[in-house]
Amino acid sequence: MAIVAAGAQVEADPAGAVAGTVVPRHVAIIMDGNGRWAAAKGLPRVAGHRAGVQAVRRAIETAAELGVQWLTLYAFSSENWRRPLSEVMDLTGLLRHFLKSEIAELKAEGVRLRFIGDRARFERDIQFDLGAAERDTAGNTRLNLVIALSYGARAEIASAARAVAEAVRAGTLDPAEIDEARFEAFLSTQGIPDPDLIIRTSGEQRLSNFLLWQCAYAELVFLDVLWPDFGPAQFADALAEFARRERRFGARPG
Ligand code: FPP
């Protein structure tokens, strides 16, 4: 993955902007605003999604530079299948291209990939490339990159509940032993720390069925920037805002 030197977007020094502050271990991003970005420029929506992929590359690079250990990107929700077929094909086409063109470089950069969501809904070649990307990067430790694809939090929780019920029926799980830790072992994010910070771009302020269990204590930062314009400076702004928050996890101050 090339370090994107896209003019003004790298003028800020994100590492400097957050030096000496607490860097969140896990940042999760709802990438919103590709369509509006394209419309504002009189371009087709696919141009916004293409520019969105460039912003994905920048975000991965910036996260690694800033010392974020886990980065989760909401690339395709389970509800996105309801978009017109042409847009779904554009998005899956971009995903296919991303998997073919970026994985070798991500691997070389020390990025470990993992995908969450219902991958069975994608075409077979994409499913194959998702598995290959996970296997090929399994030894990497610099940055854990989780990409949510055909992901919906309610479906994830329902699926976990079903698996719990099946384990109880099979006699391998005692209902009395089901607690938060046991339950979350059935989620697709098993082994991934909860996000500390959720960023949503485009000015919208909602979670849109993203990581509903996992974000119980996440700090939420909503940015008035469209996803294709998200770069190191905006990432640093979000981390600076995170550093100003006092996290109490339900306890009293001090
Ligand atoms: C939201 O913008 C964005 C999406 C639905 C898709 C996000 C996808 C990418 C950034 C590119 C693909 C990613 C990878 C990893 C290959 P929107 O279309 O909802 O924008 P709008 O709300 O302005 O219409």
Side-chain angles (χ1 to χ4, degrees):
M1 182 185 60
I3 297 174
V4 178
Q9 278 164 333
V10 293
E11 279 170 24
D13 171 9
V18 296
T21 62
V22 180
V23 174
R25 178 160 64 145
H26 184 174
V27 177
I29 307 183
I30 302 172
M31 309 180 288
D32 194 13
N34 293 350
R36 275 162 283 174
W37 183 91
K41 293 181 159 20
L43 297 170
R45 289 180 65 83
V46 66
H49 294 315
R50 276 196 210 108
V53 176
Q54 301 299 320
V56 164
R57 291 198 182 97
R58 288 196 296 273
I60 297 168
E61 191 64 37
T62 307
E65 278 172 14
L66 296 179
V68 171
Q69 291 171 37
W70 291 84
L71 176 68
T72 297
L73 300 175
Y74 201 8
F76 196 95
S77 74
S78 41
E79 290 73 30
N80 285 154
W81 293 109
R82 295 189 201 133
R83 293 193 176 195
L85 182 61
S86 60
E87 185 169 353
V88 169
M89 287 181 69
D90 286 339
L91 284 166
T92 53
L94 285 170
L95 173 63
R96 181 179 278 115
H97 186 257
F98 179 86
L99 291 169
K100 296 261 182 266
S101 63
E102 298 293 332
I103 300 307
E105 205 147 355
L106 289 172
K107 183 181 176 187
E109 305 232 338
V111 177
R112 179 178 185 171
L113 271 117
R114 183 161 158 180
F115 301 95
I116 57 171
D118 183 7
R119 67 179 77 186
R121 291 193 69 176
F122 291 96
E123 289 170 75
R124 294 293 289 270
D125 67 307
I126 290 183
Q127 290 183 44
F128 179 85
D129 285 348
L130 295 174
E134 288 178 328
R135 282 192 302 277
D136 286 355
T137 62
N140 281 346
T141 54
R142 184 172 173 226
L143 172 71
N144 291 283
L145 173 63
V146 182
I147 302 185
L149 294 168
S150 190
Y151 174 85
R154 286 183 170 184
E156 177 190 36
I157 294 167
S159 165
R162 200 160 47 244
V164 166
E166 278 162 9
V168 169
R169 187 168 61 183
T172 55
L173 183 62
D174 177 353
E177 288 173 357
I178 301 170
D179 57 12
E180 292 175 23
R182 287 282 168 108
F183 185 80
E184 63 192 11
F186 289 88
L187 295 171
S188 65
T189 51
Q190 192 261 330
I192 299 176
D194 284 347
D196 302 291
L197 168 64
I198 306 253
I199 300 171
R200 182 175 187 141
T201 58
S202 92
E204 309 284 351
Q205 301 193 358
R206 55 179 171 269
L207 288 172
S208 298
N209 205 14
F210 186 48
L211 301 178
L212 297 183
W213 170 283
Q214 298 85 346
C215 74
Y217 284 102
E219 295 297 327
L220 309 181
V221 170
F222 301 104
L223 296 178
D224 274 326
V225 62
L226 301 172
W227 175 250
D229 291 327
F230 183 90
Q234 290 73 25
F235 208 142
D237 284 350
L239 264 53
E241 171 62 25
F242 173 83
R244 284 193 287 273
R245 304 273 177 93
E246 187 194 1
R247 301 185 80 198
R248 297 201 297 270
F249 300 96
R252 285 172 54 184

